[in-house]
Amino acid sequence: MATIQEVAKYAGVSVATVSRVINTPDKVKKQTLFKVQNAIRELNYEPSVLGRSLRTSRSGLLLVLLPSVSNPFYAQIINGIQDKAIASGYNILLCETDSDPDREVIFFNMIKNKLADGIISMDPTVNKESLIELSNKYPIVQCSEYAKDNTLSYVTIDSKRAAYQAVKHLIKLGHKKIGLINFDKKFLYASERYSGYEKALKEFDLKVKDEWIYNTKYLNFESGQQAMRVLLNQTDRPTAVFAVSDVLAVGALKELHINQLKVPEEMALFGFDNIEISNVVYPPLTTVAQPMYDLGAISAQMLMSKIKGEEVESRVLDHQLIIRETT
Amino acid sequence: MATIQEVAKYAGVSVATVSRVINTPDKVKKQTLFKVQNAIRELNYEPSVLGRSLRTSRSGLLLVLLPSVSNPFYAQIINGIQDKAIASGYNILLCETDSDPDREVIFFNMIKNKLADGIISMDPTVNKESLIELSNKYPIVQCSEYAKDNTLSYVTIDSKRAAYQAVKHLIKLGHKKIGLINFDKKFLYASERYSGYEKALKEFDLKVKDEWIYNTKYLNFESGQQAMRVLLNQTDRPTAVFAVSDVLAVGALKELHINQLKVPEEMALFGFDNIEISNVVYPPLTTVAQPMYDLGAISAQMLMSKIKGEEVESRVLDHQLIIRETT
DNA sequence: TTATCAAAAGTAATCGATTACATTTTTTTG
DNA sequence: CAAAAAAATGTAATCGATTACTTTTGATAA
């Protein structure tokens, strides 16, 4: 790669002039402009992001932290982020953290080092204090997962209410024995969806039986399947199950197929997220639709506002129950 | 963030000494070492990646270019890459390109600018010449998708042979009318799998009917479903379909459910990739297993060897037919 | 005590850009 | 046409690190 000095030499001007041609072309005489642009073309020059951002503290890069790329839930959020970011001249870099705080630190350092201009985090909040501290100095927006604090910005949905509505829907259908397939409670959504589940049951005087609740360790089909297997093995088994994620629900559905149970007649199933696959499995899964694209798009816009130094307000977006054929 | 100068001042030494404490601690006197380390701790100092890589041309970052994060196929490859990269002190950044050459250029520039040390590309090769040129200057490894050239490195499978075997399997089961759901031919795997399909049919004197071949525009469930819809609408419809990707196959399977066709009795279906979901749908999908984790892991190791300046040799890994219940 | 030499620390150039300020060139104006 | 003002360009400091080279310190030996 040619450097700015080489271009300057080739064009017979100073580096400052070359820099001006790139950043403020109207400040240089047409004749010079042409000469320099020609040199740039000839030498195939591209400004070094490294040199530039060392000086300007601007990289044009946004970091997106996510626990795992394998969950299709994130794919659509990323689309939303990407569209808005690109439209504003930013590029995004996806950082898979496996929800490991050590790995997260590496990416946090990228923003401290000005390698990135802002962060959208979908990671669970392990250490609220350090997140607040970081957020005071650098533009950070939480998406989907969040820690509530008036200095922290987030875009999310009301998980508790959504879960409450889902379980209430099952109750209205006549179910009295409702199981729960949940995920690691370090994720806020997991504990909130639990609360919603609990609230609905209590409201209708149904008991919350520990045996009907299974917390998975991983978020994949396999875990959902295993959870359903455990639930089915009870002597007094539930007649309906609410899974806090479609991925788990789809796994659970597979176990129902294996056991040749009719869905929803012998076992009803309610998922969460409305990922693409929920409508492809058979029978199509009843679920809670999160506005994933908007979650991403709004996070991105919020982040870019923050980068500009504007004040932003956290948002709780609407969800929607999608009643299909598993209930 | 504190800078190296601040640490130097605080510790009462020169910046060079601070740098030595970080990079070659055995070259500084114990007493000084302690003093500086203390200053580093007190000021919470972390070296700036920006300043450092401007000087050393080393960032510790690997770029992974992929067309789209929503295809679960990539998720497992990424796991393989990530494990090996982390083990060697590298971090990876995922770059979604939407197979758009303009977007790709942005990420290629990151390596030219020394923001990254190497690239693993899973993008289709749009411009072979410029890829070769880039690859001569910078460490680049192609994974899964590739352009064949002795200066370019790749890790992949033999798509043509795999497709050939899959279709042959269908033929052995007695199928004479075999359809193909393919993807955009700009992807090498799409055209190779087509060749394999063609070869198998010709070998058994079966005709290749254009009406039985559908090329989808996108790689998602919806497209697979639509493809199957078109195939089913023929007066003389195929009795078996080979889809070049599980994502398409799963979409196709949904259409079969809608039309209440028995699988595999009334329509057999063969997928490709063995992504997690292929074993979760009902009935479980017969497919070709790619060694995705290994594809990623080997690509990463190959890339890191290249970065060290070592010679590497391209690899073609083994695939495997996974016969489940849709054939 | 002093010469010799290794170890430790410092000085300053460098990577590739941007930009405040200084200087030169061009245009405007009385 | 000279002076003033505006426009164009150049000079050099700067961002935050590394490192070749130089200088200082201190240990060892004669």
Side-chain angles (χ1 to χ4, degrees):
Chain A
M1 275 300 258
T3 70
I4 198 170
Q5 358 277 341
E6 292 169 321
V7 174
K9 198 171 190 181
Y10 188 95
V13 298
S14 74
V15 291
T17 301
V18 178
S19 181
R20 276 185 211 105
V21 167
I22 294 159
N23 300 294
T24 48
D26 43 324
K27 285 199 177 165
V28 2
K29 214 211 280 186
K30 275 216 189 80
Q31 198 182 330
T32 322
L33 188 75
F34 187 77
K35 214 168 47 179
V36 173
Q37 282 174 334
N38 189 55
I40 289 177
R41 216 174 306 113
E42 291 285 315
L43 298 180
N44 208 359
Y45 167 75
E46 289 258 11
S48 155
V49 179
L50 221 50
R52 173 178 289 171
S53 45
L54 180 57
R55 193 66 236 270
T56 61
S57 306
R58 202 241 179 221
S59 66
L61 257 27
L62 264 29
L63 255 40
V64 176
L65 266 49
L66 65 175
S68 148
V69 284
S70 65
N71 187 346
F73 170 64
Y74 297 116
Q76 293 208 48
I77 296 186
I78 292 168
N79 283 339
I81 296 175
Q82 185 130 288
D83 285 356
K84 299 301 171 188
I86 289 178
S88 301
Y90 282 94
N91 275 291
I92 70 169
L93 257 24
L94 306 177
C95 309
E96 195 177 38
T97 60
D98 295 322
S99 344
D100 172 356
D102 289 344
R103 308 225 43 229
E104 208 175 40
V105 165
I106 291 163
F107 300 117
F108 281 156
N109 275 336
M110 284 184 68
I111 197 178
K112 291 188 189 166
N113 282 329
K114 297 168 186 170
L115 278 179
D117 297 340
I119 291 181
I120 293 177
S121 171
M122 306 202 255
D123 266 356
T125 317
V126 209
N127 186 336
K128 194 167 161 179
E129 274 62 43
S130 56
L131 186 64
I132 292 175
E133 198 186 318
L134 198 72
S135 173
N136 284 331
K137 287 189 171 183
Y138 307 99
I140 295 181
V141 169
Q142 302 171 97
C143 178
S144 178
E145 272 296 299
Y146 68 107
K148 204 163 183 164
D149 183 283
N150 55 352
T151 64
L152 293 172
S153 308
Y154 55 87
V155 181
T156 188
I157 62 157
D158 187 341
S159 268
K160 181 174 173 184
R161 199 164 66 89
Y164 165 78
Q165 293 170 333
V167 175
K168 192 161 151 186
H169 176 260
L170 291 170
I171 296 172
K172 294 269 169 171
L173 288 172
H175 292 284
K176 298 211 172 327
K177 301 192 276 182
I178 301 174
L180 174 70
I181 299 180
N182 204 353
F183 182 45
D184 190 336
K185 290 252 189 84
K186 83 174 166 201
F187 281 85
L188 182 71
Y189 76 77
S191 70
E192 291 218 322
R193 289 173 201 176
Y194 171 78
S195 303
Y197 163 82
E198 196 182 26
K199 184 183 167 197
L201 292 190
K202 286 197 171 154
E203 188 172 317
F204 289 85
D205 287 325
L206 299 173
K207 54 188 169 210
V208 178
K209 275 186 75 171
D210 277 353
E211 302 92 79
W212 290 343
I213 298 177
Y214 188 99
N215 293 318
T216 70
K217 212 174 150 195
Y218 305 104
L219 197 75
N220 54 26
F221 300 130
E222 176 64 28
S223 297
Q225 186 176 351
Q226 193 186 326
M228 183 55 91
R229 197 178 306 135
V230 171
L231 260 30
L232 289 178
N233 272 339
Q234 319 263 322
T235 43
D236 182 26
R237 57 156 85 141
T239 61
V241 167
F242 171 52
V244 299
S245 158
D246 282 349
V247 171
L248 298 174
V250 168
L253 189 60
K254 158 132 184 152
E255 186 63 21
L256 295 175
H257 272 130
I258 291 175
N259 288 275
Q260 312 211 341
L261 287 176
K262 280 201 182 125
V263 180
E265 295 82 356
E266 296 175 282
M267 177 68 82
L269 190 58
F270 210 120
F272 208 116
D273 288 348
N274 192 32
I275 56 178
E276 242 192 304
I277 195 182
S278 68
N279 195 28
V280 175
V281 290
Y282 183 80
L285 190 64
T286 289
T287 191
V288 178
Q290 294 206 47
M292 297 177 283
Y293 184 90
D294 288 341
L295 281 170
I298 293 175
S299 301
Q301 285 171 325
M302 196 177 277
L303 183 62
M304 293 184 295
S305 296
K306 274 202 160 189
I307 290 173
K308 280 191 223 146
E310 297 167 12
E311 284 288 315
V312 300
E313 207 161 323
S314 293
R315 297 274 301 273
V316 177
L317 306 186
D318 287 336
H319 57 265
Q320 206 183 335
L321 301 198
I322 308 278
I323 309 303
R324 290 201 276 246
E325 299 167 29
T326 57
T327 57
Chain B
M1 274 303 253
T3 69
I4 198 171
Q5 356 278 343
E6 292 169 321
V7 174
K9 197 171 191 181
Y10 188 95
V13 298
S14 74
V15 292
T17 302
V18 178
S19 182
R20 276 186 211 104
V21 167
I22 294 160
N23 301 295
T24 50
D26 44 323
K27 286 199 177 163
V28 1
K29 214 208 282 186
K30 276 217 189 79
Q31 197 183 328
T32 321
L33 188 75
F34 187 77
K35 214 167 49 177
V36 173
Q37 282 173 334
N38 188 53
I40 288 176
R41 215 174 308 112
E42 290 284 315
L43 299 180
N44 206 359
Y45 167 76
E46 289 259 9
S48 156
V49 178
L50 221 49
R52 171 178 290 171
S53 43
L54 180 57
R55 194 67 234 271
T56 62
S57 306
R58 202 243 181 219
S59 67
L61 257 26
L62 265 29
L63 255 39
V64 176
L65 266 48
L66 66 173
S68 148
V69 283
S70 65
N71 188 347
F73 169 63
Y74 298 116
Q76 293 208 49
I77 296 186
I78 292 168
N79 284 339
I81 296 174
Q82 185 130 288
D83 285 355
K84 298 300 171 192
I86 290 177
S88 300
Y90 283 94
N91 274 292
I92 70 168
L93 257 20
L94 307 176
C95 309
E96 194 177 41
T97 61
D98 295 321
S99 342
D100 172 356
D102 290 343
R103 306 223 46 227
E104 207 175 39
V105 165
I106 292 163
F107 300 117
F108 280 157
N109 276 335
M110 284 184 67
I111 197 178
K112 292 189 187 165
N113 283 328
K114 297 166 186 170
L115 278 180
D117 297 341
I119 291 181
I120 293 177
S121 171
M122 306 201 255
D123 266 357
T125 316
V126 209
N127 187 337
K128 193 167 162 179
E129 276 61 44
S130 56
L131 186 66
I132 291 175
E133 198 187 316
L134 197 72
S135 174
N136 284 331
K137 289 190 169 182
Y138 308 97
I140 294 181
V141 170
Q142 303 172 94
C143 178
S144 177
E145 271 298 298
Y146 68 107
K148 205 164 181 161
D149 183 282
N150 54 353
T151 63
L152 293 173
S153 308
Y154 56 85
V155 182
T156 187
I157 62 158
D158 187 341
S159 268
K160 182 176 173 183
R161 199 164 65 88
Y164 165 79
Q165 291 171 332
V167 174
K168 193 162 152 187
H169 176 260
L170 289 170
I171 296 172
K172 295 267 168 172
L173 287 172
H175 292 282
K176 299 209 172 327
K177 300 192 278 185
I178 301 174
L180 173 70
I181 299 180
N182 203 353
F183 182 45
D184 191 336
K185 290 251 189 83
K186 82 175 167 199
F187 281 84
L188 182 71
Y189 75 78
S191 70
E192 292 217 322
R193 289 172 201 178
Y194 170 78
S195 304
Y197 163 83
E198 195 181 25
K199 183 182 169 199
L201 291 190
K202 286 194 171 153
E203 188 173 319
F204 289 87
D205 287 325
L206 298 174
K207 57 188 168 212
V208 179
K209 275 185 75 171
D210 279 352
E211 302 91 79
W212 291 343
I213 298 177
Y214 187 100
N215 294 317
T216 68
K217 212 174 149 195
Y218 305 102
L219 197 74
N220 54 26
F221 299 130
E222 176 64 27
S223 297
Q225 186 176 352
Q226 193 187 326
M228 182 56 91
R229 196 177 307 137
V230 171
L231 259 31
L232 289 179
N233 272 340
Q234 320 262 321
T235 43
D236 183 25
R237 56 157 85 144
T239 62
V241 167
F242 170 52
V244 299
S245 160
D246 282 350
V247 171
L248 297 174
V250 168
L253 189 59
K254 157 128 185 156
E255 186 65 19
L256 295 175
H257 271 131
I258 290 175
N259 289 273
Q260 312 212 338
L261 288 176
K262 282 204 181 119
V263 180
E265 294 82 357
E266 297 174 283
M267 176 68 81
L269 190 57
F270 211 121
F272 208 113
D273 288 347
N274 192 31
I275 57 177
E276 240 192 306
I277 194 181
S278 69
N279 196 25
V280 175
V281 290
Y282 184 79
L285 191 64
T286 289
T287 191
V288 178
Q290 295 205 49
M292 296 177 282
Y293 184 92
D294 289 342
L295 280 170
I298 293 176
S299 301
Q301 284 170 325
M302 196 177 277
L303 183 63
M304 293 184 297
S305 296
K306 275 204 157 186
I307 291 174
K308 279 190 222 145
E310 297 167 13
E311 284 288 313
V312 300
E313 208 163 322
S314 293
R315 295 274 302 275
V316 176
L317 306 186
D318 287 336
H319 57 266
Q320 204 184 339
L321 301 198
I322 308 279
I323 310 302
R324 288 200 277 248
E325 300 169 29
T326 57
T327 58

